[in-house]
Structures are given as structure tokens and as C-alpha cells.
Amino acid sequence: MFTLQDEITEEDLLYVLKNPWKFSTYEWKLYNIHNEKTAFDTLMEQFELSRKDGFSKIFRTANNLPLLILMAVKTSETALHCYLVASKHMEENRQALKVTFEMRQILEEQSYNYKGCTMAVYSQSRETDKQMSWLRFLGLKYKPEGNVGDAKYFEYESRVKA
């Protein structure tokens, strides 16, 4: 089982980078130890921005270890850029499916807070088909016109409360 929290620390970010999920390894280029500092600096910067005008959530294992960190940073009046990085515990504890359902619910709830905005994710993976299927399952739509280099572009359109 996992818990969901809002409080994220530098140690949490460093933990997921030192103990990455296979998708995070490639997304953040962690197969090269020299990229760890760049990834950490980027995540810290985005985390600070998400606290000002966006949102962030952390999923923790039953032992309180970081499982997955989700952040969204408002980049314009109509767009948020989402970042996610997960630890090895996604596979070790078979949490990916449970976390996926929870993330989908978070995106839907947050879309009410950011009416008229899109939440965008750029994804880069060695297992592109699996990663694309997972992002679609979260509710993100693949928009190839937004691709940048090897990074695929996905977006989640905000909902309007009924």
C-alpha cells in the first residue's frame, strides 16, 4: 500500500534519482551518473515553481520511502507543464497500477482548479509503446505535433465542473 502527501523534500527528490524506476532512468538520463546533478537541479527548480503556481504530490511506500513524485508548473495562463519521476519501488512493490489510478484522479481533480488550461508532459522512453499506453491510460492525449526531438508530447485537457 502507499500514501499520498503534499510535503516533498530535497531528500525525496534525491532518493528517486538515486533509486530510479526503469522509465525514470531513461526519462532523466540517469544511466549516466553525470546527469544526476542536472536532473536534481531541474527537479528542485520545478518543485519550487510548482509551490508558487501549480501543484505537487508525492506517493510513499508503506515504509515512507518515495515512490513517485508528480509536479505541475504553470507556464502560461493556459498551460501547465507536468513532471514526474518514480523510484524503483514502482516495480518492487507492484504499485504502478494503483498509483496510475490515483494519478488519473489527481489530474482530473486538478483540471477543475485549472479550467481552460492544458497539462502537458514530454516523455522519452526506450519502451515507447508501453510508456505511451501508460500516459494514455492516465488520460493524456498524444499530440505528435508537439514532439521535440526524441521527446513525445502528451496533454491533458482541463475539465469543466458539471
Side-chain angles (χ1 to χ4, degrees):
M1 202 62 202
F2 63 84
T3 59
L4 178 63
Q5 299 174 347
D6 294 327
E7 188 62 35
I8 301 169
T9 66
E10 286 184 30
E11 290 78 22
D12 294 329
L13 292 169
L14 194 55
Y15 182 89
V16 293
L17 293 174
K18 289 190 176 289
N19 301 281
W21 184 29
K22 66 181 179 180
F23 289 120
S24 293
T25 299
Y26 195 73
E27 287 274 340
W28 292 94
K29 298 176 178 46
L30 299 174
Y31 44 80
N32 180 339
I33 191 70
H34 301 292
N35 290 335
E36 188 178 294
K37 180 169 177 9
T38 302
F40 178 75
D41 291 345
T42 300
L43 283 171
M44 278 303 301
E45 180 182 325
Q46 299 312 313
F47 174 61
E48 290 301 323
L49 291 170
S50 75
R51 291 173 55 186
K52 291 179 185 168
D53 197 9
F55 66 91
S56 59
K57 301 286 182 185
I58 184 169
F59 296 82
R60 295 185 182 277
T61 67
N63 297 335
N64 207 35
L65 296 172
L67 182 64
L68 181 138
I69 296 171
L70 170 66
M71 298 181 278
V73 176
K74 196 161 185 185
T75 57
S76 75
E77 288 304 310
T78 59
L80 287 97
H81 190 116
C82 296
Y83 297 86
L84 60 99
V85 61
S87 74
K88 63 184 179 178
H89 303 298
M90 285 287 279
E91 289 172 310
E92 286 181 356
N93 297 327
R94 299 182 187 263
Q95 294 294 313
L97 189 59
K98 291 177 188 172
V99 169
T100 298
F101 280 112
E102 186 72 27
M103 282 179 56
R104 190 166 62 181
Q105 184 176 344
I106 289 168
L107 290 174
E108 183 176 346
E109 288 170 0
Q110 289 296 329
S111 73
Y112 294 125
N113 296 332
Y114 295 96
K115 291 179 195 160
C117 291
T118 58
M119 289 184 244
V121 174
Y122 285 94
S123 175
Q124 190 169 330
S125 175
R126 286 188 180 162
E127 299 179 46
T128 304
D129 291 339
K130 286 183 182 178
Q131 187 77 341
M132 289 175 77
S133 295
W134 185 63
L135 288 166
R136 283 189 194 115
F137 190 67
L138 284 174
L140 294 150
K141 293 181 183 172
Y142 176 50
K143 305 270 186 150
E145 62 274 14
N147 291 351
V148 177
D150 291 335
K152 308 272 188 271
Y153 177 81
F154 294 82
E155 72 180 25
Y156 187 96
E157 294 179 13
S158 68
R159 306 287 194 255
V160 177
K161 279 191 176 179

